[in-house]
Amino acid sequence: MVAMAKRVKTFQITFADSGKSFYCGGERLCGRIEVEVSEVTRVSAMKVLALGCAKVEYAKGKQRCRQEAEYLRHEELLQLTEHPTLHKRGCCQSLTPDSDGSVVLRPGNKYEYKFGIDLPQQGQLVSSYKGKFGYVHYYVKALMERPQQPTLECKKCFEVEEPLDVNTPDLLSPAGGTKEKKVTIMFIPDGQVSLNAKIDRRGFCEGEDICINAKFENTCSRIVVPKAAIIAKHIYQANGRTKVFRQKLSAVRGNHIISGMCDAWQGKTIRVPKIKPSILGCNIIRVEYALMIYVHIPGSEKLILELPLVIGTAGLGSRSSSVSSQEGSFSNASQSWVSLRMSSQPPSYCDITKDCRLDQPLTPLLDDVDCDDSPIFMTSSAFQFPSPPAYSEVGVSDRSPRLLC
């Protein structure tokens, strides 16, 4: 079998637009299958398949949960394409199929099978995804069938990113809420902590700033700290069971609030890092985001308020200008509490390290991660007085003024 495979020197798939990083629904995926042989080889058929599926697999106790969903399937029988090098060498006769439809490939020539695949319309595909317990991937597979020989195959993956417009009225509407928590010491009431927070909209794109308006009140005897974070929730469904995996992406914090005092955030900002858009259209995998505003209470559970977010794709009309205008206002240091380092390429969902797995919908909050990039108490450099002007002493013998000539 190894000797038979050595007869084929080159067998690979090349996309026509090699510089394209991803495809959207409704687009046409074009490419070619390149073949070069080291011995005379008869090919009975060349098939191309385009497949896209989502798969979830994880262990729940002793049970193995697994489920799949298909979003793309295309199969086509290809004909050998005339190539200029064949005409130059007088090998056009090799392009003529035999009575059974097979074609003889000869060494020293490069052969091509061109294909074009129309992807389903927008809304019928799901964006590519790779997570801890599942994935959504797309690929093109070529099958070379040969008489009385094993079928050879090669595969090449491609990315899909479905547009997600955040300019809808629902995502442009504000979101907010109120939470309070009674604090006790050895079952003795010790006051309460409350928060009231609001954001002006729910839909954002990467690089935009989320402006938070919030009010915190502390009537307990402890010193509390208000914080905010953007979290991602990866939801996997298989065999009627649900598994949730949470990740903290970025965080900011406010000033300490002592007993009997209040604090307010007026337009406090947290920037959306380089992350992939929300995945909302898959039956077994969902990726949701939320802005979590919470208060750290020493010796007690945190007071948590989660506001849902939808992260859309960039470059959607007015959102581009919105991003540029907000980046200009980000230079205001009084509203910028954290500076997120942005990488040149968006990370994979599984590349983010600050995470915590939650198997139930309402489990305790993941471990706190304080933002150390900007300290709570800012110190300014000492003021430097200007040096005194140069002078010279003039001797005076009495108190009467002296005229200098």
Side-chain angles (χ1 to χ4, degrees), residues 57-75:
E57 185 174 3
Y58 60 89
K60 191 79 170 180
K62 295 183 179 180
Q63 183 181 2
R64 194 72 180 177
C65 299
R66 180 176 180 178
Q67 192 162 341
E68 296 184 10
E70 188 176 272
Y71 293 97
L72 172 64
R73 176 171 287 273
H74 174 87
E75 184 175 351

Side-chain angles (χ1 to χ4, degrees), residues 22 24 126-130 159-166 204-206 232-234 249 272-281 285-289 309-316 346-349:
F22 61 85
C24 302
V126 176
S127 298
S128 299
Y129 169 84
K130 183 180 180 182
E159 297 286 326
V160 169
E161 184 176 290
E162 281 291 271
L164 182 56
D165 191 358
V166 294
F204 294 88
C205 297
E206 63 179 42
K233 294 187 290 185
H234 306 252
L249 306 180
V272 180
K274 283 269 187 178
I275 53 179
K276 291 191 175 182
S278 304
I279 297 180
L280 307 176
I285 297 176
R286 288 177 64 89
V287 178
E288 301 176 354
Y289 296 94
L309 300 176
V310 175
I311 305 301
T313 53
L316 294 175
S348 172
Y349 283 101

Side-chain angles (χ1 to χ4, degrees), residues 228-341:
I230 298 176
I231 62 172
K233 294 187 290 185
H234 306 252
I235 305 172
Y236 304 91
Q237 296 180 349
N239 302 118
R241 295 176 176 267
T242 302
K243 193 176 190 68
V244 180
F245 182 78
R246 292 163 63 103
Q247 293 176 313
K248 179 182 287 187
L249 306 180
S250 58
V252 294
R253 63 178 295 168
N255 296 323
H256 292 73
I257 305 175
I258 62 176
S259 177
M261 299 298 291
C262 301
D263 192 14
W265 290 355
Q266 298 293 335
K268 190 179 187 67
T269 59
I270 180 172
R271 176 162 290 188
V272 180
K274 283 269 187 178
I275 53 179
K276 291 191 175 182
S278 304
I279 297 180
L280 307 176
C282 184
N283 298 329
I284 60 177
I285 297 176
R286 288 177 64 89
V287 178
E288 301 176 354
Y289 296 94
L291 175 65
M292 183 173 59
I293 305 170
Y294 57 104
V295 180
H296 177 74
I297 307 172
S300 178
E301 293 183 354
K302 302 173 180 65
L303 175 63
I304 306 168
L305 173 65
E306 286 192 8
L307 303 179
L309 300 176
V310 175
I311 305 301
T313 53
L316 294 175
S318 61
R319 303 299 279 175
S320 300
S321 59
S322 174
V323 173
S324 60
S325 62
Q326 290 186 359
E327 286 181 350
S329 62
F330 187 72
S331 60
N332 187 356
S334 62
Q335 295 183 358
S336 302
W337 290 74
V338 63
S339 175
L340 300 177
R341 295 179 175 88

Side-chain angles (χ1 to χ4, degrees), residues 28-243:
R28 184 173 178 82
L29 174 61
C30 297
R32 64 184 181 272
I33 302 171
E34 300 175 354
V35 181
E36 188 176 358
V37 296
S38 57
E39 298 180 10
V40 177
T41 305
R42 182 178 294 274
V43 177
S44 58
M46 182 72 72
K47 296 180 180 179
V48 62
L49 286 82
L51 301 174
C53 65
K55 182 178 179 181
V56 172
E57 185 174 3
Y58 60 89
K60 191 79 170 180
K62 295 183 179 180
Q63 183 181 2
R64 194 72 180 177
C65 299
R66 180 176 180 178
Q67 192 162 341
E68 296 184 10
E70 188 176 272
Y71 293 97
L72 172 64
R73 176 171 287 273
H74 174 87
E75 184 175 351
E76 184 180 355
L77 185 63
L78 302 180
Q79 299 295 329
L80 189 60
T81 306
E82 293 187 8
H83 197 273
T85 58
L86 301 179
H87 289 282
K88 292 180 180 179
R89 298 176 182 177
C91 299
C92 296
Q93 67 276 9
S94 63
L95 297 177
T96 304
D98 295 340
S99 58
D100 59 352
S102 61
V103 177
V104 176
L105 306 183
R106 304 182 184 279
N109 298 324
K110 294 182 179 180
Y111 301 89
E112 290 185 356
Y113 293 82
K114 292 186 178 180
F115 63 86
I117 303 170
D118 293 323
L119 300 179
Q121 297 299 318
Q122 293 184 7
Q124 300 180 17
L125 296 180
V126 176
S127 298
S128 299
Y129 169 84
K130 183 180 180 182
K132 188 175 182 64
F133 301 106
Y135 59 81
V136 180
H137 68 177
Y138 299 83
Y139 60 91
V140 175
K141 179 187 291 187
L143 301 174
M144 181 191 298
E145 298 180 357
R146 299 172 296 170
Q148 301 179 352
Q149 294 185 19
T151 300
L152 295 181
E153 64 178 47
C154 63
K155 184 172 68 173
K156 187 176 181 65
C157 298
F158 65 95
E159 297 286 326
V160 169
E161 184 176 290
E162 281 291 271
L164 182 56
D165 191 358
V166 294
N167 285 315
T168 61
D170 179 48
L171 299 182
L172 292 176
S173 59
T178 302
K179 280 289 186 73
E180 62 181 22
K181 176 181 177 59
K182 294 182 179 180
V183 183
T184 59
I185 299 179
M186 300 296 293
F187 304 103
I188 300 176
D190 186 34
Q192 69 176 17
V193 178
S194 62
L195 70 89
N196 187 341
K198 179 181 179 181
I199 55 177
D200 57 352
R201 52 190 167 94
R202 299 193 304 115
F204 294 88
C205 297
E206 63 179 42
E208 291 187 324
D209 292 333
I210 303 176
C211 296
I212 309 171
N213 295 314
K215 182 178 180 181
F216 307 90
E217 184 178 359
N218 179 24
T219 60
C220 70
S221 61
R222 313 174 195 185
I223 299 177
V224 301
V225 183
K227 303 178 182 181
I230 298 176
I231 62 172
K233 294 187 290 185
H234 306 252
I235 305 172
Y236 304 91
Q237 296 180 349
N239 302 118
R241 295 176 176 267
T242 302
K243 193 176 190 68

